[in-house]
Each structure stands twice: as structure tokens, then as C-alpha cells.
Amino acid sequence: MKKAIQTIITSLLFVSPMQMAAQNTAVDFSQYTGSQVVNSDFEDWNGPDYKNVPFGWHSFESVDGVSTYVSFARSTAHTSKQTDGLHDGTTGTACLKLVPRSLLFALANGTISTGQMIAGDMSATSPKNHAEMDISKQATSNGSPFYATLTQRPAAMSVWVKFTQGATNKQHPYATVSAAITNGKYYQEPTSDNDSSVVIGYAKNNQIGTNNGQWQHLRIPFRYDSPNYNTTDEPKAIMVTFSTNADPGQGNKNDVLLIDDMELIYTHTVTIPACGFATFSNVVMNNHKICVPEGLTAYTLDTFAQGAPIVKGVYKAGQVLPYGSAVLLKGEPGEYEFSTTLYAPAETMDEGGDICLVRAEEGNNPDSNYAYYRLTEKDGVLGFYKISDTSDIKDSEALLRVKADMASDSYEHVFLNPEVKNDVNGNGAVDVSDVTLIVNRIQEMDEDNGFMIFNTDINGDGRMNVADVMSLVVFLLENQ
């Protein structure tokens, strides 16, 4: 009998991440619009049933299967909240602490999942011991279901981890994480063929080392190119699993895996053509802040009185653009990749004003109070030209929107950061005409120079005023 009990416990608790499919919980998923895992920063611990389990995630407390095995698995906790020793740069106040547990004669790997663990067989390698999810099922635990909606294709999964072994185990030295994006139909892990009819994309790192006891930031790419993956269906769900060891029941009872700030990363490639300018609207990565790629500068636009548009905001490489960003880009010709930032709530960019850049989707439902312009090169002249048909506008483009009573046929000669310092009008030289242009703008006089954007912040204080005129006059006098 003693041997039988040991076998039962071993078969139940030796559940590795490959034996436990994790499925995203979708308690209040509207805030993420199907693009993120709920409570992936592990800040919410207000589940109604298990206070030691982060809301939206599941561990052994909610295991299901054969009742004999289930009772053993539920007898001790593997997860808890930790509020000290957090990684540098986090904006949160807590992380997840995951530990294994010794139960009689067996060691159970610490494991947490967004799906439900199932224990159904005495053999650790049996497919009856797995994790499963099915979006058609309505079962819940700790206030959240055993699935989560995912309607986009992330490029990678970002997560902070800190792994400590209680005792060195050279044969089994790694913790692990895995994620499966599916079409929402029944999925369990592990399976003999990786459920090729269900899986759309997959990400995994089963070699999370101790890193000398330091936090490490992982970026784990999703694969969509396996010949067995589903290439016809759209994503509907995702499963994520963390475990203190990559192998069933291995490691040490004092192992600790800390987990924090997990985020699904999305990217979008923008091509800068030979003219050196392009527009970009953040629609591909809805609800995300994004970072300006190295080599690019992004500009938002505004208007000064009744004149042509001027620069409102400047975002340099590495700076963050808010959600809903619509910007003008400048850079050397080539391809650049935008990607989401670390986990952070998104803030919507203000699209108010008489003149501004807006996302292309607005052009599909234009406001009659405005005219819309597309960045185009005509007869060798780069500018924003009025459009009436937006059927060929890409979602990733941005449009210039101008109040109807201020609209003209075009705003030509896009011009930013001239090669010649203080060359406001872009004629290749600094002279009195540059002073005149700034004065006219300040006096709210219309200008016929045709320049859509010009450099008027001479002294670099972020404003256009008399101080800029004085700075430019001084510059001219000193450089005669």
C-alpha cells in the first residue's frame, strides 16, 4: 500500500510545463482587446477563493481529474505574493513566488498556469496528466475561467524571472515557461503531435538558469512557421505555464522561481522611402505604448493661428509613443521595426486641434468638418496632398487632418531639422528671410512659402516666440 501511495503521488505531481497546458484567463479582458494576458504583472491577488494565487492564474488548488490524485495535489500551496526583492525598473509592488512542494514521498514542481491542471493517471508521462483549455467551457476558479481570448499574433513574450536552486542539480538545472496560441478549440499539453490542428503559434524557454541569483529579462519569440501549425484560423486563445523545473518532479524542495511583468510583445515594420519621410499610425498594436526605433525621429503636428502645420511634439529614438500615435517619421531610407514597450497601461494620444495627424482608420469614416491629406511625392515635391478616396490607405499610415475652413489643396515641402542650423525656411542658407518667417508666424500672419513644417524653435525651449527671433538675429550677427 505504501508503494502504491507513493506511485500515485508521483504520477500526480510530476507535472512539467510540457505536461500542463496553460490557458489565459479572461476576467475583464476588454481593457486589453484580446492582446495581453490578464494580470500578467501579478499585482492583483484579490481572488475570492485562493488569496495565495494571483487573480486570473491557476495552480494546484484548482486541479481536476481523478479524485484520489486531486486530493493530494490540493493539500499544499505552490504560489504566493512577494513584495520585496523586485526587479529594477518595475512600476509594480509585487511579484509571483513559485515553489515546489514535498508531499510524502514525492516532489511536486512548482507550477502555475492560465489553464486547468488535470491529474488522471498513475504514470507521469500519461497524456491523462495534462493541462487543458476549451473556450466553449464555462468552468471557473478563483473568480476567473480557464481560458483567455487572444485575437492577435504577438512576436514575442517578455517576462522577468529570478530562479534560485535550493541545491545544485546539474542533471536538472533549469526552470521553464511555455505559451501556446490556439484557435480556441480544445487543447491539451502535452500531446503526441502538438495538436497541429489547433496550435497557431508557440513560444518556449526550458533553459531558465539561475543567472547567479540575479533577475533576468527574457524575450522569447513565438514561432508560426512550423509545418504542423494551423495557418488558416485566426488566434482566439493562449495558454501560458511556468514551472520550477523543466523536468517532471526534479529540482529541490527549496527551489524558488520569481516571476513578474510578463507582456506579449508586438512589432510592426515601417519602410522609410528614398525621400526620407513616412507616416505611421499605431493601429497594429492597439492598446500598447511603442518605442521609436533607433535611427528615426517621430513628430506630431499642430497649427499656429491660421498658418500651415508646425511641429507639436518631437520623439527621439528610444522614447515612447502613446497608444493611438499618429506621427510623421524622418530617417534614412530603409526598414525599421516598432515594438511594444514593457508592461504599462496605455494612454491615448490627443488628436485634437485644427491641424493634426490622425490614424488612417479615421479616413475610412471621415468627419465632414475636416479635410484629409496623405503624404505623397508629386512631381518631385514631397508634401501632404488632399485625398477623397482612402480605399488604398494602409492602416499603418497616418493622415493629416485639417479643419475644413483652413484647408488648402496641399501642404508641400515637408521639412524638418535642416542640414544648415537655423535654416528655418529650408532654402539652404540662414538669412533675413528666416527671421521674417518666424515674425510672420508670431504675428499670426498667413505665409505663402508652402512649407508644411519648419524649424522655428531656435533657442530649443520648446516654444515659438520673440525669444526665437532674438536668438536668430544674434546668430546672424555673429556669423556674418
Side-chain angles (χ1 to χ4, degrees):
M1 175 62 71
K2 183 176 182 179
K3 184 176 180 180
I5 293 176
Q6 180 177 0
T7 303
I8 291 172
I9 297 172
T10 301
S11 65
L12 168 63
L13 299 174
F14 284 9
V15 184
S16 74
M18 288 306 296
Q19 294 169 320
M20 303 181 60
Q23 150 85 70
N24 246 302
T25 40
V27 179
D28 179 14
F29 216 76
S30 59
Q31 60 181 315
Y32 300 115
T33 63
S35 62
Q36 286 296 324
V37 179
V38 169
N39 195 27
S40 57
D41 57 355
F42 302 102
E43 292 296 310
D44 188 352
W45 295 76
N46 294 315
D49 302 321
Y50 310 114
K51 301 303 181 183
N52 62 321
V53 179
F55 185 66
W57 293 79
H58 308 285
S59 189
F60 286 99
E61 286 84 348
S62 55
V63 66
D64 198 7
V66 177
S67 58
T68 303
Y69 310 145
V70 168
S71 61
F72 284 111
R74 291 184 176 181
S75 62
T76 186
H78 291 249
T79 59
S80 62
K81 178 180 179 180
Q82 180 162 319
T83 57
D84 58 354
L86 306 180
H87 71 87
D88 291 341
T90 184
T91 59
T93 60
C95 69
L96 168 69
K97 181 179 180 180
L98 188 62
V99 297
R101 294 297 188 191
S102 293
L103 299 181
L104 293 180
F105 308 103
L107 179 73
N109 291 340
T111 308
I112 194 167
S113 165
T114 50
Q116 185 171 27
M117 303 178 201
I118 304 296
D121 197 272
M122 294 177 63
S123 171
T125 59
S126 170
K128 293 182 180 180
N129 295 325
H130 61 265
E132 65 183 34
M133 72 96 175
D134 185 341
I135 65 174
S136 67
K137 295 184 178 180
Q138 302 301 311
T140 64
S141 174
N142 209 26
S144 58
F146 295 106
Y147 66 85
T149 304
L150 182 73
T151 58
Q152 301 184 46
R153 286 178 168 83
M157 177 171 60
S158 166
V159 65
W160 286 85
V161 295
K162 180 179 178 181
F163 180 47
T164 305
Q165 283 191 301
T168 301
N169 188 333
K170 294 182 178 180
Q171 286 71 41
H172 307 280
Y174 301 121
T176 186
V177 57
S178 64
I181 299 172
T182 77
N183 62 4
K185 296 181 181 179
Y186 177 85
Y187 175 77
Q188 73 172 59
E189 188 177 333
T191 60
S192 58
D193 62 355
N194 202 31
D195 272 352
S196 59
S197 64
V198 174
V199 174
I200 293 172
Y202 197 77
K204 180 180 179 181
N205 186 333
N206 62 351
Q207 294 186 337
I208 301 175
T210 58
N211 194 38
N212 296 318
Q214 302 299 310
W215 279 97
Q216 51 187 315
H217 183 205
L218 306 180
R219 190 180 191 276
I220 309 166
F222 278 93
R223 286 196 59 193
Y224 298 93
D225 57 354
S226 170
N228 295 323
Y229 291 167
N230 186 316
T231 59
T232 58
D233 294 339
E234 291 299 317
K236 291 186 178 179
I238 183 173
M239 301 192 328
V240 183
T241 302
F242 292 92
S243 183
T244 55
N245 204 281
D247 303 309
Q250 301 301 326
N252 182 276
K253 66 179 182 179
N254 295 319
D255 293 348
V256 176
L257 179 63
L258 302 183
I259 309 164
D260 203 4
D261 291 339
M262 193 198 90
E263 184 186 26
L264 300 179
I265 300 296
Y266 297 85
T267 61
H268 183 73
T269 300
V270 173
T271 300
I272 302 294
C275 66
F277 290 92
T279 58
F280 173 71
S281 64
N282 178 20
V283 99
V284 177
M285 295 170 280
N286 266 352
N287 282 342
H288 291 278
K289 293 181 178 180
I290 55 176
C291 206
V292 179
E294 192 66 35
L296 290 184
T297 304
Y299 303 86
T300 57
L301 306 182
D302 201 352
T303 184
F304 191 85
Q306 298 297 312
I310 61 174
V311 172
K312 178 181 181 181
V314 180
Y315 296 83
K316 300 291 187 179
Q319 292 183 318
V320 174
L321 293 175
Y323 159 63
S325 303
V327 294
L328 177 69
L329 301 174
K330 181 184 179 183
E332 292 297 319
E335 289 191 345
Y336 299 83
E337 186 177 84
F338 282 87
S339 63
T340 54
T341 64
L342 294 179
Y343 189 95
E347 298 175 3
T348 301
M349 174 172 282
D350 180 19
E351 293 182 347
D354 295 332
I355 297 179
C356 63
L357 283 164
V358 294
R359 298 194 298 176
E361 61 185 6
E362 182 174 324
N364 297 324
N365 297 285
D367 187 329
S368 59
N369 294 313
Y370 294 93
Y372 294 88
Y373 300 76
R374 185 183 192 183
L375 182 65
T376 313
E377 193 167 11
K378 290 187 178 181
D379 300 324
V381 178
L382 180 68
F384 279 87
Y385 296 87
K386 187 181 293 186
I387 55 174
S388 56
D389 181 10
T390 60
S391 60
D392 64 338
I393 299 291
K394 297 178 181 178
D395 286 343
S396 57
E397 289 186 79
L399 301 178
L400 180 68
R401 187 184 72 185
V402 180
K403 197 173 180 181
D405 59 3
M406 298 173 58
S408 62
D409 290 335
S410 64
Y411 293 92
E412 299 179 359
H413 302 294
V414 173
F415 176 72
L416 289 166
N417 294 342
E419 294 296 326
V420 180
K421 182 180 179 181
N422 297 334
D423 177 17
V424 176
N425 60 16
N427 65 359
V430 183
D431 51 35
V432 175
S433 65
D434 297 302
V435 177
T436 302
L437 179 56
I438 298 180
V439 171
N440 286 340
R441 291 296 182 189
I442 293 174
Q443 292 178 341
E444 301 186 0
M445 294 176 63
D446 292 336
E447 271 301 316
D448 238 354
N449 57 53
F451 283 103
M452 194 229 83
I453 302 174
F454 54 94
N455 244 12
T456 58
D457 184 15
I458 304 301
N459 61 8
D461 65 355
R463 304 174 183 176
M464 183 180 69
N465 52 32
V466 175
D468 295 302
V469 177
M470 297 301 296
S471 295
L472 186 54
V473 170
V474 171
F475 177 87
L476 286 170
L477 292 173
E478 292 177 347
N479 291 274
Q480 284 184 343

